[in-house]
């Protein structure tokens, strides 16, 4: 009987390519370091889910990069040292401790902003790196009225009834709703 070499060589070549290119999940989503290694980009391409490894234990969405909503617990979530995304959510993720949570490096007066959107009139909650927020730019036709269609509490902004906008750290007085 003759040795079967061609199929063995093909299988070895296929396994090598699989190992080098990271398998099929690489085509569905990707993780890239950006911002001097302080952020990791994770993407759900074609609305497929994927998981991205993080160099830190706890992550936070620093910047949404997709038109599709990134809602924690629905289209993205975190586990120790990883983030999962699905439904077309794409964004830059950071170490939660370095993005304004206790022990982080947030400085009052930073000009960072966070986009938060109520899509299809559904409510949403977005994490922010500061204790209280203010609306810096409304981006929806639907009204954004503090206390009615948007508000903030410790480290988050909530929106509903179609309100979409950019939020920044509240300066000066803060209303308790």
């Amino acid at each position: 009987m003759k040795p079967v070499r061609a199929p063995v060589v093909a299988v070895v070549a296929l396994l090598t390519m699989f190992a080098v290119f990271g398998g099929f999940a690489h085509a569905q989503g990707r993780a890239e370091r950006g911002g001097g290694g302080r952020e990791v980009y994770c993407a759900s391409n074609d609305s497929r889910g994927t998981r991205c490894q993080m160099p830190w234990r706890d992550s936070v969405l620093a910047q949404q990069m997709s038109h599709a909503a990134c809602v924690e617990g629905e289209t993205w979530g975190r586990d120790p040292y990883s983030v999962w995304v699905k439904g077309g959510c794409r964004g830059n993720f950071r170490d939660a401790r370095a993005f304004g949570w206790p022990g982080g490096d947030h400085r009052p007066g930073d000009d960072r902003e966070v986009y938060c959107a109520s899509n299809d009139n559904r409510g949403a909650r977005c994490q922010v790196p500061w204790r209280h927020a203010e609306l810096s730019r409304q981006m929806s036709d639907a009204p954004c009225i503090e206390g009615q269609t948007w508000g903030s509490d410790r480290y988050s902004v909530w929106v509903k009834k179609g309100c979409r906008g950019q939020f920044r750290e509240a300066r000066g007085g803060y209303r308790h709703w």
Side-chain angles (χ1 to χ4, degrees):
M1 191 174 221
K2 292 183 178 181
V4 182
R5 294 182 64 169
V8 172
V9 171
V11 169
V12 169
L14 186 61
L15 288 174
T16 302
M17 287 176 42
F18 191 78
V20 169
F21 294 109
F24 297 110
H26 182 73
Q28 297 175 9
R30 64 180 187 212
E32 299 173 358
R33 288 187 188 188
R38 295 178 53 130
E39 292 185 354
V40 174
Y41 176 76
C42 191
S44 164
N45 296 321
D46 300 324
S47 295
R48 295 183 190 143
T50 192
R51 183 174 297 275
C52 301
Q53 296 302 309
M54 299 292 156
W56 47 77
R57 182 172 175 78
D58 194 22
S59 299
V60 64
L61 178 63
Q63 183 179 15
Q64 180 174 319
M65 305 297 285
S66 59
H67 291 292
C70 291
V71 179
E72 187 175 8
E74 293 181 29
T75 56
W76 80 272
R78 57 186 159 196
D79 294 315
Y81 300 101
S82 71
V83 167
W84 57 264
V85 291
K86 67 180 183 178
C89 173
R90 295 189 311 269
N92 291 325
F93 294 85
R94 290 186 78 173
D95 182 348
R97 293 172 303 145
F99 200 59
W101 272 255
D105 65 355
H106 174 69
R107 308 277 189 275
D110 281 354
D111 290 330
R112 292 184 277 188
E113 294 190 345
V114 171
Y115 175 75
C116 195
S118 164
N119 295 314
D120 299 323
N121 286 323
R122 289 182 295 194
R125 184 172 294 272
C126 304
Q127 294 180 325
V128 296
W130 46 79
R131 292 169 83 84
H132 306 293
E134 65 185 13
L135 178 66
S136 61
R137 184 170 49 141
Q138 182 172 322
M139 302 179 79
S140 60
D141 292 329
C144 292
I145 302 166
E146 188 174 8
Q148 293 179 23
T149 58
W150 80 270
S152 73
D153 48 35
R154 285 189 147 195
Y155 302 112
S156 71
V157 169
W158 58 265
V159 291
K160 64 182 181 179
K161 297 183 180 176
C163 172
R164 294 190 311 272
Q166 291 286 128
F167 295 86
R168 66 180 173 218
E169 182 177 21
R171 314 250 195 264
Y174 165 69
R175 294 186 187 142
H176 297 275
W177 295 105

